[in-house]
Amino acid sequence: MSRSNFRKSTNIEYTYRNSKLPTEIIYYSIEVTSKYLHVGRGEDIEIKNDVNLSNDTVSRFVNGENSVFNEIDKTISIKQAFSRAGGKYVIPGGTIKGAVRTRLEMSLNDACYIVADTSSGYSKNYIKIFNPDKKKGSENFSKGKICPVCNLFGNMGLASRVSFSDAILTSDPKSYVVFEKIDNEESGTEKKGEESGTEKKGEEYELVKKGAVFEGFIVIRANGIDKGAVYYGMGIRCENDKVEYRDILLGRFKYSNPDFGRVRFKIKNNNDVCKNIKDFVSEYRPKDIREDWK
């Protein structure tokens, strides 16, 4: 698509992108309020230090002898690791942005949903909780005014005006990081095999415990209403001119297990949070979905 045709198809006059919006850095924290939080990076395989393999066992394993597989299994430990970057425990910025955006999209009647196929793009639990409109898909620039969430968070062919850094765990990992085995439908394990009658143990997960705090920042090119929208998506409200911080869902098992995936955002460096949220609410009249997942 040529640049001139792109301008026509996006109806750019309906966005704030032609105005000179200031760029601001907003610092925030995330506190874990559920028993556990897991944001995964996949499997970690560790070699147990207290188990040694004989040369004969290694040779038979290399030659593909099935009889030694059980012995090999005893030497390794497989765990579902928590996300890390630079050796630190983190919640990736993309994960945070996705959670905030989803919350905001579910709050606005005129927002679209960023999925390619709405018949399979949502989990059953997601549909049960949020009841998304299946007639809505990704933003179509040719149909008129751009969805306010797309205008701020971006879409295919439309750059985002808000960027979330990774949030780094600032609490002591020795006190707040644990390993637990989890039996959960979402983990793909079964508590008991109906035909074999054997019990299957859950996978071991690296978890961050309640009370742990992560810290990060947002780079945003926006006006006060836009900032209010981001805060609203973070679960922040303003009641009687006082800021109220509410839990939102984040991470693994958040729909299937209430012991997981509840976090609370706090803004650290903006004295206009209440004003920004009020301006956003006045402009868009969002619906409060606080009770939908409880």
Side-chain angles (χ1 to χ4, degrees), residues 3-243:
R3 183 168 297 182
S4 60
N5 288 335
F6 178 77
R7 287 199 184 101
K8 292 177 182 177
S9 66
T10 56
N11 293 292
I12 204 70
E13 66 271 20
Y14 288 100
T15 76
Y16 303 116
R17 293 169 182 271
N18 287 341
S19 60
K20 294 182 179 179
L21 294 171
T23 299
E24 185 176 348
I25 298 177
I26 299 170
Y27 294 91
Y28 67 89
S29 65
I30 302 175
E31 180 182 356
V32 180
T33 58
S34 53
K35 186 176 180 179
Y36 298 121
L37 176 71
H38 178 75
V39 178
R41 71 168 186 177
E43 292 184 346
D44 264 3
I45 300 177
E46 299 179 358
I47 305 298
K48 296 179 180 179
N49 294 326
D50 57 346
V51 179
N52 294 316
L53 293 175
S54 67
N55 291 334
D56 178 64
T57 300
V58 173
S59 176
R60 289 162 60 200
F61 174 74
V62 170
N63 291 328
E65 291 188 28
N66 294 338
S67 60
V68 300
F69 286 176
N70 287 337
E71 190 174 344
I72 295 292
D73 285 343
K74 294 176 183 178
T75 69
I76 63 175
S77 174
I78 300 176
K79 301 174 182 178
Q80 294 291 336
F82 201 94
S83 179
R84 291 186 185 86
K88 298 182 180 295
Y89 292 93
V90 302
I91 304 174
T95 298
I96 299 168
K97 183 177 181 179
V100 173
R101 178 177 192 146
T102 296
R103 196 79 178 172
L104 188 59
E105 285 182 333
M106 297 303 104
S107 300
L108 299 182
N109 291 323
D110 56 348
C112 63
Y113 306 101
I114 307 304
V115 291
D117 178 6
T118 54
S119 65
S120 61
Y122 301 118
S123 70
K124 291 181 180 179
N125 283 318
Y126 183 97
I127 293 171
K128 180 179 178 182
I129 293 167
F130 294 117
N131 191 29
D133 184 351
K134 292 185 178 181
K135 294 180 181 179
K136 294 183 178 181
S138 296
E139 180 69 89
N140 187 333
F141 297 139
S142 66
K143 291 185 178 180
K145 184 176 179 179
I146 292 175
C147 147
V149 181
C150 292
N151 188 40
L152 179 58
F153 283 79
N155 199 337
M156 293 181 64
L158 190 65
S160 173
R161 291 188 287 118
V162 56
S163 177
F164 287 79
S165 75
D166 292 344
I168 300 172
L169 178 67
T170 55
S171 301
D172 182 7
K174 294 181 180 178
S175 300
Y176 285 98
V177 178
V178 296
F179 289 93
E180 297 284 351
K181 285 189 176 180
I182 303 169
D183 286 309
N184 191 295
E185 291 181 2
E186 191 175 334
S187 71
T189 62
E190 299 174 9
K191 292 186 177 180
K192 193 169 186 179
E194 294 182 1
E195 295 181 2
S196 64
T198 58
E199 185 168 343
K200 294 186 178 181
K201 295 181 179 179
E203 292 182 277
E204 191 166 17
Y205 283 79
E206 191 173 28
L207 309 171
V208 173
K209 297 195 300 183
K210 182 176 182 177
V213 175
F214 295 79
E215 294 186 356
F217 61 88
I218 306 165
V219 178
I220 184 170
R221 182 173 180 262
N223 57 26
I225 293 175
D226 292 331
K227 287 187 286 185
V230 173
Y231 301 152
Y232 199 91
M234 289 171 135
I236 302 172
R237 302 291 184 269
C238 189
E239 301 288 344
N240 299 319
D241 292 322
K242 292 183 64 176
V243 178

